[in-house]
Amino acid sequence: MKRLLERIDREILAAGGKRSRSRAVVIEGFFRARDHVTIEELTRSVRESAPGIGAVTVYRTLKLLERLGYAKELDFGEGARRYESNLSPHHDHLVCRQCGTVIEFKDRGIENLQDLVTRRHGFHPTAHRLEIYGFCRKCAPGNSPERFG
Amino acid sequence: MKRLLERIDREILAAGGKRSRSRAVVIEGFFRARDHVTIEELTRSVRESAPGIGAVTVYRTLKLLERLGYAKELDFGEGARRYESNLSPHHDHLVCRQCGTVIEFKDRGIENLQDLVTRRHGFHPTAHRLEIYGFCRKCAPGNSPERFG
DNA sequence: GATATGATGAAAATGAATTTCATCATCAGA
DNA sequence: TCTGATGATGAAATTCATTTTCATCATATC
């Protein structure tokens, strides 16, 4: 973690930025937080140790991390965006509509077929998003007495 | 088209709604419009024939069509939602980041693999979204002198 | 035709995200 | 180490899509 923060620090410096205490706290908080956080969640958690930090700084810092390639914006259609660390390799998401759990998955076969599809249309892909919405194992119809029983 | 509008009309009545001129204009406008319209685009086009129609009515009418199963909300991350008719069977989208063109595609292989993935995680899917972003044939790197030359 | 109630549109409200701006902090050079 | 330039901050204001409110209008129903 220390290594990572120092590396990001160096990249910010190299890009003409300056160090700042608030930003450091937000960045560390982001990598320590559970994945797929909203700005609001992250702001709340970061303020536990550094109460003065404004939500605007959290917005700005995550935009910065995204620009540097360390964070990824997600949108599960909830109104507010979520962010995940971009350190682990690319993956897609299963999103439970009941409890909000997000399961990450990776499927080489799907990716290959996507490549075929784009090639067939002469399309040059730069990114994709695949989300499957439904009910996770725990919330599945039949396993949720209070909802279906 | 006439048939379709009458059928929707009947469904609205059956659900306890009433007929309305404005709404009829919006619904017809929606099915005549090019696919993947924004509220703003549809409002503008609808106002050419019925200037008094408020954007709020367009919002409400598309929500209604969605509830009835005739329209689908899309979000290509542009800030404003888009809507497409839900009459044609399910498909996914290639979205050009340069010119905004949207190509629809359908790939049974991808869908099958998605089913496998969800089953592997004990997940019960109810919907999914797959969008591939990049450059369409016309805007592809190498074909766009003003951008890459 | 009278009446209950759904639909409308303008304006206000909401809420996430961004911008503005005065102030503070940090880096670079003397 | 001091100092000036400029990046970063946080509060408040702004933006923008969408939703809600509300007085009024329109349409089914009796």
Side-chain angles (χ1 to χ4, degrees), chain A residues 94-112:
Chain A
L94 304 177
V95 183
C96 179
R97 289 198 144 128
Q98 181 78 18
C99 66
T101 296
V102 176
I103 302 168
E104 304 183 348
F105 73 91
K106 181 163 189 57
D107 191 302
R108 205 80 220 38
I110 292 180
E111 313 257 323
N112 289 339

Side-chain angles (χ1 to χ4, degrees), chain A residues 111-125, chain B residues 94 137:
Chain A
E111 313 257 323
N112 289 339
L113 289 179
Q114 286 180 15
D115 284 348
L116 283 182
V117 166
T118 55
R119 205 166 306 149
R120 202 179 302 137
H121 288 87
F123 192 91
H124 290 236
Chain B
L94 303 177
R137 201 193 303 275

Side-chain angles (χ1 to χ4, degrees), chain B residues 21 32 37 39 74 100 106:
Chain B
R21 182 82 202 110
R32 284 198 194 290
V37 285
I39 295 286
L74 304 175
K106 180 165 190 55

